[in-house]
Amino acid sequence: MAGFDKVVSSYQEAMAGLQDNMTVIAGGFGLCGIPEGLIAEIKNKGTKGLTVVSNNCGIDGFGLGILLEDKQIKKMVSSYVGENALFEKQLLNGELEVELTPQGTLAEKMRAGGAGIPAFYTATGYGTPVGEGKESREFNGRQYILEESITGEFAIVKAWKADRYGNCIYRHTAQNFNPMAATAGKITVVEVEEIVEPGELSPTEIQTPGIYVDRVILGQFEKRIEKITTSD
């Protein structure tokens, strides 16, 4: 990449450097706001032994779920199993290590990692299996547990628009975990629906500054609906 221009032209270039046994932090919530093409490229590369940090693991046959098919994921750090039967099967069979983490705590682990904060106290999980073995401390008469932050070698993120400098904005609920994930990767790759020229995005609109972003790629998205519910 030359200068501030972070746009790459291929998924191979976007995910260059990803190796076995790395940690990948992925934005998205279910199938909303997931970097579909970047996940597919990890599938194509055949990278294995991955630790994936994401709210959940997609569904069978789509999203992060496709990485379970060839057992490319060694460990999932997530808040719930969701609609993924293969995730559940591998968890129960002991084929997949799973660290279930309260949803808000998971978001803060990413945010704190990106901010350079190594750990933080939270009341969530105290007195439950989540808090077992963790340091605890009382503040203002309430007990809190110490949670370590999360960083990864790669962060993969889906945004609505980005300029060539990597400044990003998200669309509605597709924002979800993406801004936190974007800050927590040593290499952050953003897949977007539209690339604009620098100056076209208002500074007040930008939700992830380009300083956090290393690569930007224009994607094509299926945007599959996780569960269709209709009325009569």
Side-chain angles (χ1 to χ4, degrees):
M1 291 171 286
F4 289 107
D5 192 341
K6 300 175 181 179
V7 175
V8 297
S9 58
S10 70
Y11 283 103
Q12 291 83 2
E13 191 177 359
M15 296 305 296
L18 180 68
Q19 299 177 5
D20 292 352
N21 304 311
M22 284 185 168
T23 296
V24 177
I25 300 175
F29 187 109
L31 300 184
C32 178
I34 63 171
E36 299 172 24
L38 298 176
I39 295 169
E41 176 58 22
I42 297 174
K43 171 80 169 179
N44 293 336
K45 286 172 69 70
T47 315
K48 292 185 179 294
L50 296 173
T51 295
V52 176
V53 183
S54 181
N55 185 54
N56 66 307
C57 199
I59 62 174
D60 295 283
F62 197 71
L64 289 170
I66 64 175
L67 303 182
L68 295 174
E69 296 169 353
D70 296 325
K71 298 184 179 178
Q72 291 175 260
I73 301 176
K74 174 182 67 178
K75 178 180 179 180
M76 277 297 305
V77 181
S78 56
S79 70
Y80 73 111
V81 174
E83 303 291 331
N84 196 318
L86 185 56
F87 186 176
E88 181 182 12
K89 179 181 177 182
Q90 291 186 4
L91 167 62
L92 294 176
N93 290 344
E95 301 172 287
L96 177 67
E97 184 180 350
V98 178
E99 184 179 321
L100 291 174
T101 304
Q103 195 167 88
T105 301
L106 182 62
E108 181 61 12
K109 279 174 171 278
M110 295 181 190
R111 192 206 66 82
I117 299 169
F120 57 92
Y121 283 100
T122 175
T124 304
Y126 178 78
T128 75
V130 169
E132 290 179 2
K134 295 177 181 176
E135 178 184 332
S136 63
R137 185 174 171 184
E138 182 179 322
F139 293 92
N140 299 318
R142 190 176 185 186
Q143 292 290 336
Y144 294 76
I145 58 174
L146 187 67
E147 292 279 6
E148 294 186 8
S149 61
I150 291 177
T151 58
E153 284 84 8
F154 270 78
I156 55 173
V157 171
K158 195 270 181 176
W160 180 32
K161 295 181 182 179
D163 64 24
R164 291 184 172 273
Y165 292 172
N167 298 302
C168 301
I169 60 176
Y170 307 94
R171 182 171 172 78
H172 304 317
T173 55
Q175 183 174 351
N176 53 60
F177 278 80
N178 281 299
M180 290 79 78
T183 67
K186 293 179 181 177
I187 297 175
T188 293
V189 188
V190 180
E191 186 175 16
V192 300
E193 297 182 41
E194 183 179 352
I195 297 174
V196 302
E197 293 303 317
E200 289 188 40
L201 300 179
S202 168
T204 59
E205 292 180 308
I206 293 167
Q207 293 158 309
T208 293
I211 190 67
Y212 291 110
V213 176
D214 298 281
R215 302 167 189 168
V216 176
I217 185 166
L218 184 65
Q220 297 291 327
F221 301 94
E222 181 181 338
K223 295 186 180 179
R224 191 182 300 187
I225 297 173
E226 186 169 349
K227 182 180 291 186
I228 298 176
T229 303
T230 59
S231 59
D232 295 332

